[in-house]
Amino acid sequence: MHFAGRFLTAAAAVLLLLPRPLSAQERFGGLTGTVTDTSGAVLPGTTVTITNKGSGAVKSVVTSGDGVYNVPDLDPGRYAMVIELSGFAKSEIPDVAITLGKTIKIDTQLKVGDLTEVVQVSAAPQDIDVRSTLVAHNVREEEIDRMPKGRSFQSIALTAPSVNSGEIEGGFQVNGASGAENAFTVDGVVTNSLVDGRSRQNTVFEFLQEVQVKTAGIGAEYGGALGGVISAVTKSGGNTFRGEGHYYYEGSPLSAGPVKRLVLDPSDEVTVNYFQDNKQPDHKNELGGSIGGPILRDKLFFFASYSPRFARRTNSYLFSNGTEPGEIERTQTYTQAFGKVTHRAGRVTSSGSVLFTPTTSEGTLPAYDGSGRDVITSSFAANQVNLERGFKAMQVSTTGNVDVALSSSSFFSVRGGYFHDNYEDTGIPNTTNYIYQISNIGMAGVPPSAQGPKGTQNTPRALIVENDTTKRGFVNADYNHAFTAAGAHNLRGGFGWQKTINDANQVYPGGYVDIFWDSNFVAPTGANQGRGTYGYYAVNNRGVQGEAGADIYSLYVQDQWTIANKLTLNLGLRTESETVPSFREGVPAMEFGFGDKMAPRLGASYDVRGDGRFKVYGSWGRYYDWTKYELSRGSYGGDTWQIYYRGLETTDVSNLNLSNMPGADLWVVPGSFRDRRVPNFDSTDPDIKPMYQDSTSIGTEFQLGGNITVGAHYVHNNLSQTIEDIGAVDANGDETYIIGNPGRGLATIQFPSGATPLGYLVPEPKRQYDALEFTVNKRYSNNYFWSASYVYSRLYGNYSGLAASEEVNTPTTNVTSTTAQQQAGSVARPGGNANRAWDIDEIFWDSHGTLDVLGRLPTDRPHVVKLYGSYMLPFGTQLGAFLYAGSGTPLTTYVNSANQTPLFVNGRGDMGRTPVLSRTDMLLSQEFNVGSNNKRMRFELNVLNVFNQKATRHEFNYLNRGAGAPRASSAVSLSDVDLSQGYDYNARILASPDGSNAYDPRYRMADLFDPGTTGFFTVKFLF
């Protein structure tokens, strides 16, 4: 901490003592260059004027004594440049593209002449930022308009090299990091979920100027992301009124039918089939528009957009295992409302914006789960609640900025913002749910009215969320100063503060009940605890209640130092102070000071030929995570999960709940319960350290001609420290945990759950991503653009990250991972620091006695090719396409243990890989001029997965029963096993109470698929 104090003092002194003032979550691109005469002599005092061709905004700077100009604060867009000096002919460059995060170098020669003489420079400027080590993929407005895509900016992220996406990935995976480890920003406002890191706010493209995906070499101004930074920059108004009106249609007439379902027949739990459900009527209509222009010419401007989407879908069902037809309708409204005001007065530019994205939904469509087309096991009466069950979600982000140009070489920026995110359920009655986890059809003593297959329920199982609200407020102050001292410097620095809060109130009414007909309860210890006359049942008391909040402070400084006009050193340091809150007032879960989160960002770039068209570069940086509230909720007083086990002595299970639990108490300690959420206030390692990843990057980039750049890039990311719950099993079979860093501190030695000798080490986390990336990009000109990339990579280790791609519940299990702030669950477990990876020593070993199960991780794709682009044909016809092709992902056999742990019995990847994943998206549009003043009509068809390739994304990988809902009678007990000596998992499956019936017949069958063709039809009027 002494070092941290000295750093803070020194950094603050540097910022205060600089003669003039730099930007954090960046919103700008930049221009720099040298002006000379034809002999090569520098020309100080030259005026460089840059005009935004869209908004009309004008900036003027004057070259310094060495002929250098620098404009670091340009909004992304297209500009015209004028360079002029008395005694020389004026030089004009009519089209310069400025992209987010890039500073483009444009050197200019002026020839002697009169200022009335104009020399127009038609050659394209450099498209490479030769001073930067940042690896980023930018998609500009003109490219966004011409390529196939979804409706929100996140869909553009997939075009970037080293980005993959899917349900198992937990969203977008950047350079091997899980989907919970990215930062999503809209105009610099972080819109991630505080709870699990997912992106939580969509933005339609009508008000976006540019989308950028940063993947490596990310500067010191960024924190809280181990993966990528995915940024959207919104449009601003200008001196000219511009706008559009649009109508979008998406629905079943333009889309393929659903993917097939893998079904284990709930009547006998032996027969397995695939079923193809009918395509159901589904219609989404969106009508909106946007407009921008002047309020006061040259001073005050506005931009506004409004786009509500109305969705209606009706599903036809065959309820009660196919015997009872019926329908359920769902109506939804998604609203996108955006407003922005910009003011320019001399050296000061200020702006404020708000993005409002509420969603309302009425009616809930249960998933088909029965044996047969459109079949569902539950009755129509049990689904009556779904006719009105719905939700409300509300996201609001606001931001305000003040940028002050203190001189031609410096500016100061202050920015504040707020992101409010709330979810609540509607229309759910307070009825306790029960579900048959085992069929009782034909069971003696059970009346026909009570008989049903596995999955029979009285009402949908629903966690009632009265509110789940997160709030993030922030203020950042940043300073940017260009000066000369043993070379050219661009010094940036800043301070940031953010306040985060989570307020949640959610509970299952009366708990929820799992019925295990004709079965004995086998405790986690392996002991057979007996049963009632008809089997046993479990009542779960689960919920989240309370409020927690905390602060994060940050400080960074970074210098971009160019030596001898070719070599640039990027030297930065970021540090943060983070409090991780608890749901117990006044008692933080943990605290990390500035000294705990020192994050150097170092790099160098070399302009090989000195002409700004060929660079080699390298960087190294350390990146710390912002701890997700899922840890605070689950381990520090927010979550409750208590399970009561009772003998089943009645066939009338409709009245079972937390207040009515008849039958013998079967838990190991009668009179108590199994506690799955014991708070960790007294079991947190006092020396715990924050989660981080180190990233190394080297590469080269070369510009061919005026519009094509080629690049080669290698990245090595190494995650070697995380925060997790490290578990053991007590004498009662309960899991107890330490919160710490696996393999370090209190979590160094394993706590044996069986007969394994004490003294074996806890494996340290390992996630290593290595990739070679090759890119070719042709920017938009002459009516076309294209981009191609190939990535060869390896994702290796024992830990997939915050979003646990090892913990997957595919649709065939009829179970999903509970996901905060949304009605539906997720296929993969969402982001958090309390996953199953270190919950018990059983998971550290394979069945051959190998400690630390290393291998290719579940989302490893060694080969990925992407190609996208667009071409404008004569008469206004536009063709765009995006092709993605990637290797399949590894598959690993799991065996369920009595502790509900998936065991890697044969190591990782023993089942091979899924098939190659490929898809093609296409866009076809036709544009017509309408009247004068550039008024146009555009008709557009956007088709995703045009060839309807419903590729396999996963195969069922549980060898024994228990996927989704635990099945104690099929689980293997390792309570008497020395894990270091290995074990015969097949023998132990056969020794379970279910014997040979414990094997799951779905093993190795495809159970998750890419969605089929989806089409959008659009009509736009542009002016």
Side-chain angles (χ1 to χ4, degrees):
M1 294 299 293
H2 294 300
F3 174 64
R6 288 195 298 270
F7 167 76
L8 292 172
T9 302
V14 167
L15 293 176
L16 291 172
L17 293 175
L18 285 171
R20 286 162 296 193
L22 210 228
S23 143
Q25 300 283 352
E26 66 193 339
R27 295 165 288 125
F28 304 123
L31 272 175
T32 189
T34 303
V35 181
T36 63
D37 63 18
T38 54
S39 71
V42 298
L43 295 176
T46 303
T47 299
V48 181
T49 303
I50 304 102
T51 303
N52 188 306
K53 296 168 70 173
S55 69
V58 177
K59 288 183 180 289
S60 291
V61 297
V62 176
T63 57
S64 62
D66 53 4
V68 173
Y69 69 92
N70 186 49
V71 190
D73 56 340
L74 293 173
D75 291 325
R78 289 193 173 271
Y79 288 78
M81 288 181 65
V82 176
I83 302 97
E84 53 189 331
L85 178 65
S86 180
F88 292 85
K90 184 187 300 184
S91 180
E92 292 184 354
I93 303 175
D95 190 35
V96 177
I98 298 298
T99 55
L100 182 67
K102 277 189 176 183
T103 297
I104 302 303
K105 182 181 179 183
I106 301 179
D107 295 332
T108 305
Q109 280 193 346
L110 298 182
K111 70 175 184 177
V112 175
D114 193 272
L115 273 178
T116 58
E117 181 183 352
V118 177
V119 177
Q120 191 168 86
V121 181
S122 59
Q126 290 89 337
D127 206 26
I128 296 175
D129 186 348
V130 293
R131 301 188 301 173
S132 174
T133 58
L134 173 68
V135 179
H137 185 75
N138 293 67
V139 184
R140 302 165 180 144
E141 178 191 11
E142 65 260 26
E143 297 176 352
I144 292 173
D145 284 346
R146 293 166 169 83
M147 62 187 293
K149 55 195 172 291
R151 275 299 283 149
S152 186
F153 81 98
Q154 296 93 333
S155 64
I156 295 295
L158 189 60
T159 65
S162 294
V163 176
N164 293 297
S165 71
E167 293 177 292
I168 293 176
E169 288 82 353
F172 292 96
Q173 185 174 51
V174 180
N175 279 343
S178 76
E181 298 166 31
N182 304 308
F184 294 87
T185 72
V186 179
D187 283 345
V189 178
V190 177
T191 57
N192 294 65
S193 165
L194 282 178
V195 180
D196 57 33
R198 292 170 298 123
S199 176
R200 286 290 298 165
Q201 189 169 43
N202 294 331
T203 60
V204 294
F205 292 103
E206 279 69 27
F207 55 84
L208 292 187
Q209 181 69 38
E210 185 172 343
V211 176
Q212 184 198 58
V213 183
K214 297 179 177 71
T215 58
I218 300 172
E221 53 265 59
Y222 290 92
L226 308 186
V229 179
I230 301 168
S231 305
V233 178
T234 61
K235 296 178 181 178
S236 301
N239 278 328
T240 303
F241 284 100
R242 300 175 187 272
E244 56 79 35
H246 61 258
Y247 169 73
Y248 279 87
Y249 174 77
E250 175 191 355
S252 48
L254 298 178
S255 301
V259 299
K260 61 185 179 182
R261 287 187 293 119
L262 174 65
V263 178
L264 176 65
D265 192 313
S267 300
D268 60 18
E269 295 191 82
V270 174
T271 306
V272 181
N273 282 300
Y274 286 106
F275 294 101
Q276 179 70 60
D277 299 311
N278 289 303
K279 182 165 64 171
Q280 305 295 334
D282 186 12
H283 305 283
K284 300 179 180 70
N285 295 276
E286 183 175 342
L287 185 65
S290 58
I291 186 171
I295 300 174
L296 294 175
R297 189 170 178 81
D298 296 327
K299 290 186 177 181
L300 186 61
F301 314 91
F302 78 96
F303 189 91
S305 179
Y306 182 68
S307 191
R309 170 179 284 204
F310 306 98
R312 182 181 300 273
R313 178 183 174 114
T314 303
N315 275 14
S316 297
Y317 294 93
L318 294 173
F319 294 98
S320 300
N321 254 348
T323 62
E324 184 184 11
E327 291 184 345
I328 298 178
E329 182 182 78
R330 181 185 66 193
T331 58
Q332 296 178 309
T333 302
Y334 307 86
T335 302
Q336 293 264 325
F338 174 75
K340 186 177 187 179
V341 175
T342 305
H343 180 257
R344 301 188 185 100
R347 295 176 177 269
V348 179
T349 300
S350 56
S351 66
S353 67
V354 59
L355 176 59
F356 177 67
T357 55
T359 302
T360 60
S361 180
E362 183 177 358
T364 297
L365 304 176
Y368 299 107
D369 64 356
S371 291
R373 177 174 289 188
D374 302 343
V375 170
I376 187 170
T377 56
S378 52
S379 67
F380 187 54
N383 283 277
Q384 283 295 305
V385 61
N386 283 325
L387 298 175
E388 297 183 1
R389 180 187 173 190
F391 66 87
K392 296 178 181 178
M394 171 77 74
Q395 294 87 31
V396 181
S397 61
T398 61
T399 183
N401 310 281
V402 178
D403 303 312
V404 183
L406 300 175
S407 72
S408 62
S409 59
S410 59
F411 74 91
F412 180 72
S413 177
V414 176
R415 180 161 44 90
Y418 178 71
F419 181 53
H420 178 276
D421 185 7
N422 182 56
Y423 173 88
E424 61 183 81
D425 286 312
T426 59
I428 304 177
N430 291 315
T431 303
T432 301
N433 158 272
Y434 67 78
I435 293 180
Y436 291 6
Q437 296 298 349
I438 295 178
S439 170
N440 67 354
I441 294 176
M443 183 176 170
V446 179
S449 61
Q451 292 187 18
K454 178 182 178 181
T456 298
Q457 61 181 346
N458 60 329
T459 189
R461 179 166 294 179
L463 177 70
I464 300 179
V465 180
E466 291 189 10
N467 69 279
D468 194 348
T469 306
T470 61
K471 305 172 186 177
R472 186 197 303 267
F474 73 92
V475 175
N476 288 337
D478 306 287
Y479 175 78
N480 188 316
H481 180 62
F483 63 97
T484 301
H489 295 261
N490 188 4
L491 182 65
R492 309 195 304 275
F495 172 80
W497 166 79
Q498 63 173 302
K499 176 72 173 181
T500 57
I501 295 173
N502 180 209
D503 179 12
N505 184 9
Q506 46 194 285
V507 67
Y508 287 94
Y512 63 84
V513 184
D514 291 319
I515 311 293
F516 297 87
W517 294 99
D518 199 23
S519 297
N520 288 31
F521 171 57
V522 179
T525 59
N528 189 329
Q529 297 293 112
R531 55 176 285 176
T533 302
Y534 301 103
Y536 76 95
Y537 67 97
V539 183
N540 291 257
N541 178 24
R542 295 188 71 175
V544 184
Q545 292 182 320
E547 180 176 313
D551 301 289
I552 299 176
Y553 298 93
S554 62
L555 182 67
Y556 79 92
V557 61
Q558 182 141 357
D559 186 23
Q560 193 174 71
W561 177 16
T562 302
I563 304 169
N565 207 35
K566 284 191 174 184
L567 176 65
T568 300
L569 303 179
N570 289 273
L571 309 173
L573 181 62
R574 179 182 182 87
T575 185
E576 297 173 344
S577 173
E578 178 187 15
T579 298
V580 181
S582 79
F583 279 73
R584 184 179 295 175
E585 187 175 357
V587 183
M590 59 192 75
E591 296 178 293
F592 301 121
F594 286 107
D596 296 317
K597 300 188 75 172
M598 287 289 184
R601 311 285 171 87
L602 309 174
S605 181
Y606 186 70
D607 186 354
V608 177
R609 301 190 307 198
D611 62 356
R613 291 174 176 267
F614 181 21
K615 76 171 182 179
V616 293
Y617 61 92
S619 68
W620 176 87
R622 176 160 291 181
Y623 300 86
Y624 286 95
D625 180 50
W626 290 336
T627 307
K628 308 299 182 283
Y629 270 66
E630 183 63 33
L631 179 66
S632 300
R633 288 158 66 129
S635 301
Y636 294 95
D639 282 8
T640 299
W641 188 5
Q642 301 161 346
I643 310 176
Y644 300 83
Y645 297 93
R646 298 290 188 269
L648 184 59
E649 300 292 351
T650 178
T651 59
D652 181 9
V653 298
S654 60
N655 295 317
L656 301 177
N657 55 54
L658 287 168
S659 301
N660 181 42
M661 298 186 291
D665 189 340
L666 303 180
W667 183 233
V668 178
V669 180
S672 65
F673 50 82
R674 186 177 189 181
D675 196 341
R676 303 298 302 272
R677 289 292 185 270
V678 178
N680 293 100
F681 292 103
D682 299 322
S683 54
T684 299
D685 191 332
D687 298 318
I688 193 170
K689 301 298 181 185
M691 179 180 181
Y692 72 83
Q693 175 175 276
D694 292 333
S695 179
T696 303
S697 169
I698 59 173
T700 184
E701 197 170 4
F702 180 70
Q703 184 166 341
L704 294 172
N707 298 308
I708 296 178
T709 58
V710 297
H713 169 238
Y714 167 73
V715 64
H716 170 78
N717 287 346
N718 185 45
L719 185 148
S720 57
Q721 183 166 283
T722 189
I723 297 171
E724 263 289 349
D725 56 344
I726 301 92
V729 177
D730 64 16
N732 300 328
D734 269 331
E735 293 178 8
T736 60
Y737 299 98
I738 289 172
I739 304 296
N741 304 123
R744 300 174 186 177
L746 296 181
T748 302
I749 304 298
Q750 294 182 29
F751 301 98
S753 59
T756 309
L758 185 65
Y760 285 101
L761 298 178
V762 172
E764 294 186 1
K766 183 179 183 66
R767 186 182 71 197
Q768 184 174 305
Y769 178 79
D770 293 275
L772 276 172
E773 175 185 303
F774 302 94
T775 59
V776 184
N777 295 286
K778 194 271 182 188
R779 68 187 180 94
Y780 184 75
S781 64
N782 300 321
N783 293 324
Y784 74 101
F785 74 94
W786 57 271
S787 177
S789 66
Y790 166 70
V791 177
Y792 174 59
S793 66
R794 184 184 80 150
L795 181 59
Y796 180 87
N798 59 15
Y799 176 60
S800 58
L802 295 181
S805 55
E806 287 95 349
E807 300 180 49
V808 171
N809 289 306
T810 55
T812 188
T813 67
N814 299 317
V815 172
T816 58
S817 290
T818 301
T819 305
Q821 296 182 295
Q822 68 179 43
Q823 184 185 72
S826 301
V827 168
R829 185 168 178 169
N833 293 97
N835 299 328
R836 292 296 285 172
W838 280 274
D839 276 6
I840 191 170
D841 63 333
E842 294 174 350
I843 207 168
F844 304 157
W845 305 79
D846 66 17
S847 66
H848 308 291
T850 303
L851 174 61
D852 195 3
V853 186
L854 296 167
R856 299 275 185 139
L857 293 173
T859 54
D860 173 65
R861 291 191 187 276
H863 304 278
V864 175
V865 175
K866 299 178 184 179
L867 176 65
Y868 71 91
S870 180
Y871 183 72
M872 176 72 80
L873 297 167
F875 314 111
T877 303
Q878 187 87 39
L879 289 174
F882 172 55
L883 168 67
Y884 175 100
S887 305
T889 52
L891 296 165
T892 297
T893 298
Y894 290 166
V895 169
N896 284 303
S897 80
N899 291 302
Q900 299 178 18
T901 302
L903 308 174
F904 300 89
V905 290
N906 293 323
R908 293 178 181 269
D910 64 300
M911 294 172 61
R913 289 180 177 270
T914 60
V916 169
L917 173 66
S918 65
R919 58 178 288 174
T920 302
D921 305 333
M922 297 195 71
L923 176 143
L924 173 66
S925 69
Q926 178 67 49
E927 200 167 279
F928 302 95
N929 291 324
V930 180
S932 58
N933 298 321
N934 202 31
K935 296 184 179 69
R936 292 159 290 149
M937 290 291 296
R938 179 189 296 169
F939 299 88
E940 180 178 293
L941 180 62
N942 194 33
V943 183
L944 308 181
N945 196 1
V946 67
F947 298 117
N948 200 27
Q949 296 170 276
K950 299 176 181 178
T952 298
R953 301 293 295 256
H954 188 264
E955 293 178 11
F956 192 85
N957 59 331
Y958 285 86
L959 186 60
N960 60 337
R961 299 178 189 270
R967 181 80 163 256
S969 58
S970 295
V972 301
S973 174
L974 302 181
S975 60
D976 60 340
V977 171
D978 177 353
L979 296 171
S980 68
Q981 300 302 307
Y983 54 91
D984 184 339
Y985 60 87
N986 279 302
R988 291 187 170 268
I989 291 174
L990 292 171
S992 69
D994 286 345
S996 60
N997 190 47
Y999 287 98
D1000 197 308
R1002 293 169 291 182
Y1003 178 64
R1004 298 197 74 108
M1005 298 183 72
D1007 62 353
L1008 187 66
F1009 307 91
D1010 222 27
T1013 300
T1014 301
F1016 308 82
F1017 176 71
T1018 310
V1019 179
K1020 277 191 177 183
F1021 172 65
L1022 303 103
F1023 61 93

